[in-house]
Amino acid sequence: MAGIEPPVGSMPRLPERDAVLGALFESAPGRTAILDAEGVVVAVNAAWRRAAAEGGWTHPSGGVGASHMEAARFPHEADAATVGAGLSAILAGDSALFTHEYESSAPGGPERWLTVTLYPVEGCDPVRVVAVHVETTDARRTWRALAEARGQQRLILEQAPDGTLAADTERQLRSSEAYFRTLTGATDISDRKAAELALEASEEWSRALIEQSSDLTVVLGPDGRILYASPNRERILGTSPGGVVGRDSSELLLVHPDDRDEAQRLWQEVYGSPGATAQAALRIEHAGGSWRTLECSARNLLDNPAVRGIVVNARDVTDRVQLEHQLQQAQKMEAIGRLAGGVAHDFNNILTGIQGYTQLSLEELPKEHAVRPNLEEVARSADRAAGLTRQLLAFSRRQMMQPRVVDPNETVRELRRMLTRVIGEDVELSTELATDAGCILVDPGQLEQVILNLAVNARDAMPVGGRLTIRTGRVRLSGRDLADAEELEPGEYVELGVSDTGHGMSTQVMERLFEPFFTTKELGKGTGLGLSTVYGIIKQSGGHIRVESFPGGGTTFQVYFPGVVGRPEVSESRPAGVAAMGGETILLVEDDASVRKLAGRILRGRGYRVVEAGNGAEAWSIFRAAADPIDLVLSDVVMPELGGRELVERITAERPGMPVILMSGYTDDVILRHGAREVGAAFLEKPFTPAALVEQVRLTLDGVVAGGVHPADDAQPEI
């Protein structure tokens, strides 16, 4: 009836209805087929026919008249059996939806994956089933890349089936009356009545197909006004179910400012050329204020008298885009970490020489010497530089660690007085420590550094005062809880939370929060290494960190460490009065000439006999040919030709019990956590002072291994 607007989300009730729906069916991106009650294909859309024409995927003819199994040509029998069982369940009325991903690679061809979705058409007699095949190769590759970046072997892609499912049969498009008679078997009614009933039946059937689509379908007039919008816009964009027909499309599809040029390009490419198609990825504002990324495919059907519009199919790919962003972020952080670790390693060798020779000079100068204050300032500057390299190594996860079973509650209690001084009198400190929080396996000093750095960050966010809260707790995290931390396994975790009531952060700041040297402070007010150090320590300790914040709403950091069963350990104390002198023979192995020369001078000055080697292979030859026995091996870890660990393994195999010290500015986590301990070696961190070197040598020769990495033997993860 003229002048009456149809219900929201429906097409106008006009005789051209079937043609409109047929056009939507034809332009749908998903390879869509309609199956009868026997599973036989009765109609396919253009995407299906294009795939058939390309060859390899489906029956060359498109498969109309063949069974779904024959038409789709599943390469693997297991997939065919699975899909066949799913179709049987739907035809029997035992299931309303079936989805299965399968490999569709041609022999010798590139990898190819598709997802098939089957579901019955509600209220249709006889039974009709919709089959949609959508290519998921790119999404699968993205998931695999992220899994490799995070060390995870198993990720599950949860994504709704793609494609607009609006459909009709070719017979229905040719003749509504013939289609109605096919459905009902009626032969004794008038042609007009048959056509009317056929139109009504096809309309209800097609509406059911469209409304169950996971894509958003919009038909726009030549002036950009909405002729039709599928009702699932409420699910995708959160828009209210009010009437939209006749409204300007910009009211429904509010494009992100940065994407408006791309949206204009899409419209211009399609508008001026009948039959033209164009694609674009656009960010559209959700009613809740967030942005959803939609892959839009537009087709100009303005010259089609039944449609007279531009058909836009929009697929929500927000989750996939976020996944790709996480992958890029992980790769960026890994690249920065490698660079930072390499710089710190080389710089530590340089600092070893600066600190060492400065200390030797200070020992030789009288206290009243005029040059002494200058050397003392050099020593202090070198110490500060060494601190910066330790922060870089912490971020790159190549810092030396001495993990022990620690009670985080006790750590917070011991730090309270220091924290009070750090945050100042205008910030209130509150602690909420759960008695059942449990213990964790971590380097005690680095746990303190994490808490202090987070507290300093909170203080800086509250320039006029506020409240700092530190919490501990015990939580069990499932796989879903760890969706953003695939490297962790579900199980018991100890949670450490640090919250402030400060000015908060924007999304843009949070995206770069843990990058080294990134800071929002004015020039000269910070190094930008505080939170990157926190990030590196937590990751190297097997934990995970999250941050929640928004401008004006404060910030909360949540740190999760795997819980362990064990008792807190008391730090080992070194014997007092360690003798500085000795007379033993030491095999010194170091590829950096300046460090080797310095260490040799220090040890010879304390009475030791030193044999020097520039690499592991040379050291092995010296060891085997030595006339006098070697009493201790002092070796760098990372060297050309033969590394320190491999050298020590050879030497200890020939002389079990040989005292060994491994030294390095950084080591790979495997060597650091397991290598030194497996070969029974102590560990000396670069840069080292003369006093630290001679003390470590003496303790190791006397059988007191210090400085190594010795986690508790009885510490077991609670997984």
Side-chain angles (χ1 to χ4, degrees):
M1 295 175 63
I4 298 179
E5 183 176 331
V8 175
S10 66
M11 292 294 293
R13 296 178 58 88
L14 299 173
E16 295 86 0
R17 170 68 185 210
D18 290 341
V20 173
L21 295 172
L24 293 176
F25 175 55
E26 284 295 294
S27 66
R31 306 171 187 178
T32 308
I34 306 299
L35 316 179
D36 65 13
E38 303 299 325
V40 174
V41 178
V42 297
V44 297
N45 73 344
W48 185 293
R49 291 194 296 275
R50 283 195 299 272
E54 293 172 359
W57 175 72
T58 186
H59 195 282
S61 67
V64 175
S67 71
H68 180 245
M69 297 298 103
E70 295 172 340
R73 284 188 171 182
F74 295 96
H76 302 290
E77 294 182 2
D79 290 322
T82 300
V83 176
L87 177 58
S88 298
I90 288 178
L91 292 173
D94 296 331
S95 175
L97 180 67
F98 172 82
T99 301
H100 177 69
E101 187 179 41
Y102 64 94
E103 186 177 8
S104 183
S105 307
E111 179 186 33
R112 198 170 189 179
W113 289 84
L114 286 90
T115 295
V116 57
T117 300
L118 307 173
Y119 63 88
V121 180
E122 297 180 2
C124 185
D125 185 16
V127 173
R128 289 292 184 265
V129 175
V130 179
V132 184
H133 295 254
V134 178
E135 186 153 341
T136 55
T137 305
D138 291 341
R140 190 178 183 91
R141 288 173 179 167
T142 299
W143 277 101
R144 183 183 302 150
L146 182 60
E148 292 173 355
R150 293 180 172 178
Q152 177 61 267
Q153 300 299 319
R154 182 170 57 89
L155 287 174
I156 300 174
L157 181 60
E158 296 178 352
Q159 181 176 325
D162 291 315
T164 301
L165 306 182
D168 211 334
T169 67
E170 292 182 1
R171 283 176 297 179
Q172 182 185 6
L173 291 173
R174 288 194 299 266
S175 171
S176 295
E177 178 186 352
Y179 179 68
F180 173 77
R181 288 173 176 169
T182 301
L183 291 179
T184 65
T187 59
D188 57 351
I189 60 176
S190 68
D191 291 345
R192 180 176 179 180
K193 185 63 176 178
E196 291 176 352
L197 293 175
L199 181 61
E200 183 178 348
S202 64
E203 180 179 306
E204 294 300 324
W205 183 39
S206 299
R207 181 186 296 113
L209 292 176
I210 295 175
E211 291 180 354
Q212 293 181 57
S213 169
S214 61
D215 283 358
L216 171 64
T217 300
V218 179
V219 181
L220 305 177
D223 58 355
R225 294 190 176 276
I226 298 172
L227 302 180
Y228 170 76
S230 56
N232 59 8
R233 66 185 183 277
E234 183 175 2
R235 175 182 58 80
I236 296 175
L237 296 176
T239 57
S240 61
V244 296
V245 173
R247 292 168 57 185
D248 191 280
S249 59
S250 62
E251 299 178 19
L252 175 66
L253 305 175
L254 184 59
V255 180
H256 191 282
D258 294 343
D259 294 346
R260 288 173 185 168
D261 289 344
E262 182 71 1
Q264 187 66 23
R265 178 199 63 80
L266 176 70
W267 177 260
Q268 290 175 349
E269 285 188 12
V270 174
Y271 180 76
S273 304
T277 60
Q279 293 78 35
L282 304 173
R283 285 168 289 178
I284 308 297
E285 186 174 19
H286 188 276
S290 62
W291 294 96
R292 307 297 296 178
T293 301
L294 304 184
E295 279 188 349
C296 302
S297 176
R299 184 178 182 184
N300 186 333
L301 296 176
L302 289 170
D303 62 341
N304 187 319
V307 181
R308 298 189 186 281
I310 294 177
V311 180
V312 180
N313 290 310
R315 180 179 307 142
D316 188 351
V317 294
T318 306
D319 291 343
R320 192 190 76 193
V321 171
Q322 291 175 346
L323 177 67
E324 292 170 347
H325 175 73
Q326 291 174 18
L327 170 61
Q328 294 168 357
Q329 186 71 7
Q331 291 173 333
K332 179 178 70 173
M333 296 292 277
E334 178 65 21
I336 294 174
R338 289 180 181 274
L339 174 63
V343 170
H345 172 258
D346 293 341
F347 197 49
N348 270 337
N349 280 337
I350 298 173
L351 283 175
T352 299
I354 295 173
Q355 287 184 313
Y357 284 112
T358 301
Q359 290 295 329
L360 290 177
S361 299
L362 286 171
E363 291 176 5
E364 296 173 359
L365 287 177
K367 292 184 178 181
E368 64 277 4
H369 198 285
V371 178
R372 190 176 184 88
N374 296 340
L375 290 176
E376 290 174 344
E377 188 58 38
V378 171
R380 284 191 289 269
S381 297
D383 288 341
R384 288 195 296 271
L388 288 176
T389 61
R390 281 193 294 271
Q391 289 180 304
L392 285 174
L393 289 171
F395 169 76
S396 63
R397 310 180 210 177
R398 291 168 176 167
Q399 182 178 221
M400 190 197 73
M401 298 181 66
Q402 299 183 47
R404 304 184 186 281
V405 177
V406 175
D407 179 356
N409 286 349
E410 189 61 31
T411 301
V412 173
R413 294 189 189 101
E414 292 175 353
L415 285 176
R416 186 178 180 92
R417 179 174 297 179
M418 181 186 297
L419 287 171
T420 302
R421 293 197 300 268
V422 167
I423 63 178
E425 296 180 353
D426 55 349
V427 176
E428 178 186 356
L429 175 61
S430 173
T431 58
E432 300 174 9
L433 309 180
T435 56
D436 62 343
C439 294
I440 58 178
L441 186 63
V442 67
D443 186 304
Q446 292 183 1
L447 176 61
E448 292 178 358
Q449 187 174 3
V450 166
I451 297 172
L452 285 169
N453 285 13
L454 291 177
V456 169
N457 183 78
R459 177 203 64 190
D460 294 341
M462 299 181 287
V464 295
R467 183 183 182 89
L468 170 64
T469 303
I470 301 177
R471 300 181 179 88
T472 62
R474 186 183 188 87
V475 294
R476 173 168 285 277
L477 299 180
S478 64
R480 177 173 298 182
D481 297 327
L482 296 171
D484 61 338
E486 289 83 358
E487 70 274 13
L488 302 185
E489 294 290 336
E492 291 284 345
Y493 285 83
V494 175
E495 179 182 11
L496 173 66
V498 178
S499 304
D500 66 63
T501 58
H503 49 61
M505 293 177 285
S506 66
T507 302
Q508 292 76 16
V509 170
M510 286 194 290
E511 287 181 350
R512 302 188 60 191
L513 193 60
F514 299 115
E515 293 181 15
F517 305 115
F518 173 74
T519 179
T520 58
K521 300 174 184 177
E522 58 184 274
L523 186 64
K525 295 294 185 179
T527 63
L529 289 172
L531 291 179
S532 64
T533 300
V534 168
Y535 176 88
I537 289 173
I538 292 169
K539 291 295 184 180
Q540 192 175 3
S541 302
H544 181 63
I545 183 169
R546 290 173 177 159
V547 58
E548 296 179 0
S549 183
F550 59 90
T555 301
T556 297
F557 288 92
Q558 294 171 304
V559 181
Y560 299 96
F561 291 106
V564 297
V565 178
R567 292 173 296 179
E569 298 178 74
V570 178
S571 300
E572 299 174 2
S573 59
R574 301 189 178 193
V578 176
M581 305 301 289
E584 293 88 347
T585 299
I586 298 175
L587 176 57
L588 172 61
V589 192
E590 170 61 64
D591 61 323
D592 189 290
S594 63
V595 176
R596 185 173 68 249
K597 182 178 179 181
L598 171 66
R601 177 177 172 179
I602 293 171
L603 293 173
R604 291 187 183 96
R606 271 43 174 199
Y608 295 100
R609 295 185 296 275
V610 180
V611 181
E612 297 182 15
N615 56 62
E618 181 184 352
W620 175 240
S621 299
I622 292 173
F623 177 82
R624 301 196 68 183
D628 297 325
I630 302 295
D631 298 304
L632 180 141
V633 177
L634 173 61
S635 174
D636 190 20
V637 174
V638 181
M639 296 182 295
E641 297 189 44
L642 187 66
R645 177 181 174 178
E646 293 77 9
L647 170 65
V648 171
E649 286 176 342
R650 291 187 184 183
I651 291 176
T652 54
E654 187 162 319
R655 282 187 55 187
M658 165 70 73
V660 174
I661 301 173
L662 291 175
M663 56 181 176
S664 182
Y666 77 90
T667 61
D668 287 339
D669 188 60
V670 173
I671 297 177
L672 181 59
R673 286 184 176 274
H674 305 294
R677 188 179 183 192
E678 288 175 359
V679 298
F683 194 91
L684 180 63
E685 183 181 10
K686 295 179 182 177
F688 51 77
T689 64
L693 173 62
V694 296
E695 180 185 27
Q696 185 67 78
V697 167
R698 189 68 263 162
L699 290 171
T700 304
L701 285 169
D702 293 342
V704 182
V705 178
V709 181
H710 302 288
D713 293 327
D714 61 345
Q716 299 294 328
E718 296 180 344
I719 299 297

